[in-house]
Amino acid sequence: MRVLATELTKLREAAGLTTRQAAIRLDQSIATLNRTENAKRIATVAEVSAMLAIYGVVGSERKRIMALVEELNTSRWLGIDANPDRPTLPIFESEAVAIVNFAPCTVPGLLQTPAYARAITSLGHTTDLHDAMIAARLDRQKVLARIVAPQYVAILDEAALRRPHGGSAAMVEQINWLIDMAKRPNIALHVIPFRHGGYHNPGYFSLLEFPKTPPIVYVEHSRVSGFLHEPEDTQAFRTHTASLIQASLGCADSVNFLTKMAADHERG
């Protein structure tokens, strides 16, 4: 509902319509349309179809929005062909006040340099596709540089820093970028070094907190990604976060560790 509401609001605004103008054309009250755009009611398939017609939305964009309508009654939204740079996750990231990101194998997308992103996305994708993915990923990163940016915590396994995606030079650039990002007041980086031994690994996830709506968790695996929002799910990932923080180095020690990692790649 939250994703659909945001999408419908943006489409109405792109069509140059006020809520009053759109409500008149839809033969709805302004209050009803406002409740739909604020995710306070579930719009019917017929209502969304009418909105898209009035807003001039056709083709693949219309199919994508109608697919959201079909997902409204699922408590756990999982989809095939994982791609975190598609519109849904960036919408949530732009609305969040706090984001926790655990990355066991790669540097999280919000912190990737262009060269590192190119190396990651080139694995299994055509040139045209991964160029588009890189552009979308870099655009997502703007959320961390806003005047009112979310508090962002990234927890990385040492494995994500050891594997030289893109080669040693690309990794040196990437790790130095992480060090620079860690200087920002809204960003905290934690590294779990090999020497700390084993720990429970829940897999790649983002825990997003919002000012007025319940938190959600984005999870990602090979060809599958999705969102969890049931209280027992979000609480479980809060517990995972606390456990991962406990297993990791503090922020200052993590930056020192990153400095040593950059030196290792320079020698490599």
Side-chain angles (χ1 to χ4, degrees), residues 118-130:
R118 180 169 296 278
I120 291 292
T121 58
S122 66
L123 302 174
H125 295 101
T126 63
T127 300
D128 289 344
L129 179 57
H130 81 250

Side-chain angles (χ1 to χ4, degrees), residues 4-15:
L4 179 63
T6 300
E7 293 276 23
L8 291 174
T9 302
K10 289 182 177 179
L11 290 172
R12 173 182 57 74
E13 293 172 346

Side-chain angles (χ1 to χ4, degrees), residues 99-111:
I99 303 172
V100 175
N101 206 179
F102 172 59
C105 299
T106 60
V107 173
L110 288 177
L111 297 176

Side-chain angles (χ1 to χ4, degrees), residues 31-201:
T32 296
L33 182 56
N34 279 332
R35 291 184 68 225
T36 299
E37 291 190 353
N38 289 316
K40 300 298 183 182
R41 69 180 290 271
I42 297 177
T44 66
V45 172
E47 286 174 338
V48 174
S49 180
M51 289 178 188
L52 298 182
I54 291 170
Y55 302 159
V57 180
V58 297
S60 60
E61 183 72 352
R62 184 183 187 281
K63 290 180 181 178
R64 185 177 67 81
I65 299 299
M66 294 308 296
L68 289 178
V69 181
E70 296 176 2
E71 298 286 350
L72 283 176
N73 293 319
T74 62
S75 62
R76 291 173 173 81
W77 180 11
L78 299 175
I80 303 300
D81 190 18
N83 183 348
D85 304 306
R86 285 178 178 160
T88 308
L89 180 59
I91 286 172
F92 282 134
E93 289 173 337
S94 69
E95 296 174 347
V97 294
I99 303 172
V100 175
N101 206 179
F102 172 59
C105 299
T106 60
V107 173
L110 288 177
L111 297 176
Q112 292 178 5
T113 62
Y116 184 92
R118 180 169 296 278
I120 291 292
T121 58
S122 66
L123 302 174
H125 295 101
T126 63
T127 300
D128 289 344
L129 179 57
H130 81 250
D131 283 347
M133 291 174 68
I134 293 167
R137 187 160 303 177
L138 297 180
D139 190 60
R140 280 175 57 210
Q141 296 177 359
K142 294 177 183 177
V143 71
L144 296 181
R146 295 186 317 197
I147 295 176
V148 182
Q151 292 297 313
Y152 179 71
V153 177
I155 309 169
L156 292 78
D157 191 288
E158 181 177 341
L161 304 167
R162 285 286 178 193
R163 192 175 299 278
H165 289 289
S168 296
M171 284 304 300
V172 171
E173 179 188 42
Q174 174 63 74
I175 293 172
N176 284 334
W177 177 244
L178 292 176
I179 294 170
D180 288 342
M181 293 293 281
K183 297 175 183 177
R184 298 187 182 185
N186 63 309
I187 296 177
L189 297 185
H190 294 273
V191 176
I192 304 177
F194 292 155
R195 68 174 184 267
H196 280 194
Y199 63 92
H200 174 66
N201 182 346

